[in-house]
Amino acid sequence: MPSSPPSSPDAATLTPRSAATLLARCASRAAAAALHARLLRCSRAFFRSPYLANCLAAAYSRLGAAPSAVALLRAAPRPNVFTHNILLSALLGSGHLGDARSLFDGMAQRDAVTYNAMLSGYAAAALREEAFRLFCSMRERGVRPTGFTFSIVSSAVASARHGQQLHAAAVRHGLAHLDAVVSNALIDMYRRIGLLQHAARAFSCMEEPDVTSWNSIMSVYKDQVLGSTVFQCFRSMRSKGFSVDGFSVSTVLSVCSDVKDFAKGDQMLALCVKMSFLTNSIVCSAVIDFLCLSDRLPDAVQLFRGMPTWASEPCNALISGYARSGLMEEALSLFAASMQNGVVPTEFTFASVLRWSSCFGLMEQGTQIHCLICKLGFQDDVIVSTALTDMYCKLGLTRHARKIFRTVAAKDLVLWNTMLLGLLQNGRGKEALGVFRRMLKCGIQPDRITLFGALSACSLEGLVTEGMDIITLFEDRYHIMPSMEHYTCVVDMLCRAGMLREAVNFVENKLPKFSAATFSNILEACIIQGNIGMAELVAEKMVMQKSRSSLPYIVLAQTYGAR
């Protein structure tokens, strides 16, 4: 580590401008501190104006010595807006968010850099509401947002309303369509909050999309399970002269695995070999996952063993591949070997191992992995906590699952759904409904999985009125239209409550097409409850629709024979 600044002029020729140039070139804190000491020895007059103090503080902040920058600037004479901006960034870099806000409030002059620094602090601290309020205040005071401003705020947006307001502001400032960085941030924002159609619209309005734009929109279409559209985007991207990167290839390979299009996957594999992408750990993990899903586990193992270095992503993919093939011993051995080779487990590593441990009922291994998670400090990660909650629910240990669930401060939708469905799997319908109600009170936006869990809980507990109210709530407030699986839950709920006539009417009114499976469920409920009249009625309806199921014919034959 250098103890003095590089190739500096002598004391006689050292000027504030030359000193600022040297500070910008400093590559370590020791070099900046040495130059600081030399400047003080030369003349303290250098620091009578804020210029050199600002340059020195900026160097300290850039080199990770934010406390030194704060101490320097607090004693700086005649501070200006640049001094305050550097001090603000230094305070935020030191984790003093409250002090930074006090400084911000006391500043007589604020520019876009000032607001961007404070917005970055709020975004880093996950204070999303505060960040959005500050953005609104920035615009009210007439400070023009920059592209960086929109990028910061988009990462802090958590609701559809705020996302659309931010997009509208970007359009008014002429950045939504012309600035690729802003457009890419909007696409990622819409993808994160679930407004996938808005993300596609933002991409279509871009005048000059870049590689990041194409990669982002392919991820959006992948989330929508639109495999053909992802393939079309990839072809369009190459035809327009864009050079695909590892992210592009890994996204398309993941889609090939999801839709089981092994022919296109082999083409992508050939492209990876041609463009030497297999050295990329992300691409390599996507290839391993594809090979495992296409029943080529030996090829995946061979590819993994040929890697020059171990990385977490390929290890996760092969662990899942082993477990998916029923080779849980090999999966756990690879997990142990990866740590011995210096690969630090990630939250996805633990999620993969815990998922398959619970599927195979390996309670002892699951609890050992839980101990390792606590030892490595992953117990607060929401992905790991979700995997632990799911594992304990599948093992029937709901008390442990609830304990982990309660300790997570920032619960996301996946964790709420995991707890909801886990309680249902263990026959705890009332507790599941309690989780559902608390979730709505916390302002979490539910999805179709949440609706399925809530309806299943009502069915389990025989709460018909509450179940129908939940259907209406999701349609009116959350604009989530029920699908066939939800209607099946409602039918099951009505049948369990003995409301067989209502179940038939519900199916005939809600389903546009005849559903043999749904009517079969009603018919079985009629038989179990001994309602021969309703059983005959349902069986006749199924026969009139030329159902291929043998059940209605058997029921009618027995009924007519009894007569």
Side-chain angles (χ1 to χ4, degrees), residues 143-165:
V143 180
R144 182 178 178 83
T146 64
F148 187 54
T149 309
F150 286 103
S151 298
I152 299 168
V153 180
S154 67
S155 67
V157 167
S159 67
R161 181 171 61 88
H162 286 171
Q164 291 169 334
Q165 289 175 354

Side-chain angles (χ1 to χ4, degrees), residues 146-449:
T146 64
F148 187 54
T149 309
F150 286 103
S151 298
I152 299 168
V153 180
S154 67
S155 67
V157 167
S159 67
R161 181 171 61 88
H162 286 171
Q164 291 169 334
Q165 289 175 354
L166 183 67
H167 191 175
V171 172
R172 282 194 292 272
H173 286 281
L175 296 173
H177 309 320
L178 300 177
D179 192 320
V181 174
V182 175
S183 297
N184 294 341
L186 290 173
I187 293 170
D188 288 337
M189 175 195 71
Y190 279 132
R191 179 193 175 199
R192 180 167 45 80
I193 62 178
L195 297 178
L196 304 181
Q197 293 181 346
H198 290 69
R201 195 174 299 119
F203 174 79
S204 64
C205 292
M206 291 182 66
E207 293 193 3
E208 295 184 3
D210 55 13
V211 174
T212 304
S213 311
W214 285 100
N215 289 343
S216 298
I217 197 62
M218 283 195 292
S219 298
V220 169
Y221 288 131
K222 178 180 179 294
D223 292 345
Q224 289 182 297
V225 200
L226 298 174
S228 59
T229 310
V230 174
F231 298 144
Q232 183 180 351
C233 283
F234 185 75
R235 288 192 295 268
S236 299
M237 180 181 178
R238 299 193 70 193
S239 67
K240 293 180 184 295
F242 289 95
S243 298
V244 298
D245 57 13
F247 189 88
S248 317
V249 174
S250 61
T251 300
V252 178
L253 265 172
S254 298
V255 173
C256 293
S257 300
D258 294 340
V259 302
K260 293 184 171 50
D261 192 334
F262 301 133
K264 283 190 174 65
D266 288 336
Q267 293 175 7
M268 293 303 302
L269 182 55
L271 180 64
C272 291
V273 174
K274 179 181 177 180
M275 302 186 71
S276 301
F277 278 144
L278 292 181
T279 56
N280 184 313
S281 61
I282 303 295
V283 176
C284 192
S285 64
V287 172
I288 289 174
D289 190 55
F290 169 74
L291 291 172
C292 292
L293 283 170
S294 56
D295 295 327
R296 287 179 278 181
L297 181 60
D299 294 338
V301 174
Q302 184 178 357
L303 174 62
F304 180 83
R305 288 176 177 171
M307 292 178 58
T309 57
W310 288 59
S312 61
E313 293 85 2
C315 288
N316 295 345
L318 190 55
I319 287 171
S320 294
Y322 274 137
R324 195 181 292 112
S325 300
L327 304 174
M328 199 60 207
E329 184 176 346
E330 286 81 353
L332 293 173
S333 297
L334 178 58
F335 174 67
S338 65
M339 289 192 293
Q340 291 173 358
N341 280 273
V343 178
V344 179
T346 66
E347 62 272 24
F348 301 105
T349 311
F350 287 118
S352 179
V353 175
L354 289 170
R355 173 192 175 193
W356 294 109
S357 296
S358 60
C359 289
F360 286 91
L362 303 177
M363 182 183 298
E364 182 179 353
Q365 287 82 352
T367 52
Q368 289 175 354
I369 295 169
H370 189 181
C371 293
L372 179 61
I373 287 169
C374 296
K375 182 179 179 181
L376 296 178
F378 279 92
Q379 67 272 16
D380 294 328
D381 186 271
V382 67
I383 296 176
V384 176
S385 298
T386 302
L388 284 169
T389 303
D390 180 64
M391 180 193 74
Y392 282 121
C393 285
K394 287 179 177 176
L395 294 174
L397 303 173
T398 56
R399 182 170 60 87
H400 294 73
R402 286 195 301 270
K403 183 177 179 181
I404 293 168
F405 179 78
R406 284 194 298 266
T407 59
V408 180
K411 302 178 181 66
D412 61 1
L413 175 62
V414 179
L415 179 56
W416 283 101
N417 284 345
T418 300
M419 191 71 245
L420 175 63
L421 297 178
L423 290 171
L424 281 174
Q425 292 169 0
N426 289 273
R428 299 179 179 272
K430 289 185 178 179
E431 293 181 35
L433 282 173
V435 168
F436 170 71
R437 297 187 189 105
R438 290 201 306 274
M439 172 184 170
L440 296 185
K441 284 183 180 179
C442 291
I444 302 295
Q445 182 83 10
D447 62 0
R448 294 181 178 276
I449 298 175

